[in-house]
Amino acid sequence: MCERLRFLRTQRLTARHEYDLVFSKGEKLWGRSYICYVLLDPSREARLGLVVSRKVGNAVVRNRVKRRLREFFRLNYFRLQPGMQLVIIARASGACQSSVACASELNATLKRFLRHV
């Protein structure tokens, strides 16, 4: 696989304190199917954290939603601002979306953030 299109461990939010930092200091953006928290930290590379609760569906559905969100991040990584710490919380309505609908909604949500930064 091409090295630039991989979703590396360094591009993930992994620790609880990293999530807490984005939740407390980041900006909250609402979409119909997702809630995004965005924090800019220029000293780091762009990173992604996911929150998909049991309200979204069973394990198969939750894992499908997480795969779609990771794929969106992987394909759009180089279009994001350097240092963007992004936490996406999936709502139940995101479970029935296609990958294209997921990507278009997240693009629209993140464009609102980038307009005023």
Side-chain angles (χ1 to χ4, degrees):
M1 179 182 275
C2 180
E3 192 64 32
R4 72 178 188 90
L5 289 179
R6 292 187 55 206
F7 184 55
L8 303 172
R9 184 158 180 86
T10 58
Q11 297 170 338
R12 301 175 192 165
L13 292 174
T14 55
R16 173 70 185 243
H17 66 88
E18 295 171 339
Y19 278 88
D20 290 340
L21 181 68
V22 176
F23 286 140
S24 64
K25 295 188 178 178
E27 183 173 337
K28 186 176 184 178
L29 306 166
W30 289 273
R32 284 183 12 181
S33 302
Y34 306 101
I35 300 172
C36 299
Y37 285 86
V38 183
L39 176 66
L40 292 178
D41 183 5
S43 65
R44 296 179 168 254
E45 63 181 322
R47 299 190 311 159
L48 173 70
L50 300 175
V51 178
V52 184
S53 72
R54 281 196 235 158
K55 293 177 186 177
V56 174
N58 63 18
V60 174
V61 174
R62 291 193 308 268
N63 287 329
R64 184 181 309 127
V65 170
K66 287 188 279 190
R67 277 195 306 271
R68 286 184 182 145
L69 294 174
R70 284 192 300 263
E71 183 71 2
F72 167 79
F73 183 81
R74 185 182 73 83
L75 293 176
N76 294 288
Y77 176 76
F78 292 102
R79 293 184 352 189
L80 299 175
Q81 284 189 344
M84 181 181 279
Q85 311 296 303
L86 177 64
V87 175
I88 302 173
I89 302 173
R91 292 180 172 172
S93 59
C96 57
Q97 279 187 333
S98 67
S99 297
V100 175
C102 169
S104 65
E105 182 178 341
L106 287 171
N107 276 326
T109 303
L110 292 177
K111 279 183 186 176
R112 286 196 316 250
F113 172 75
L114 295 174
R115 265 187 268 181
H116 65 80
V117 170

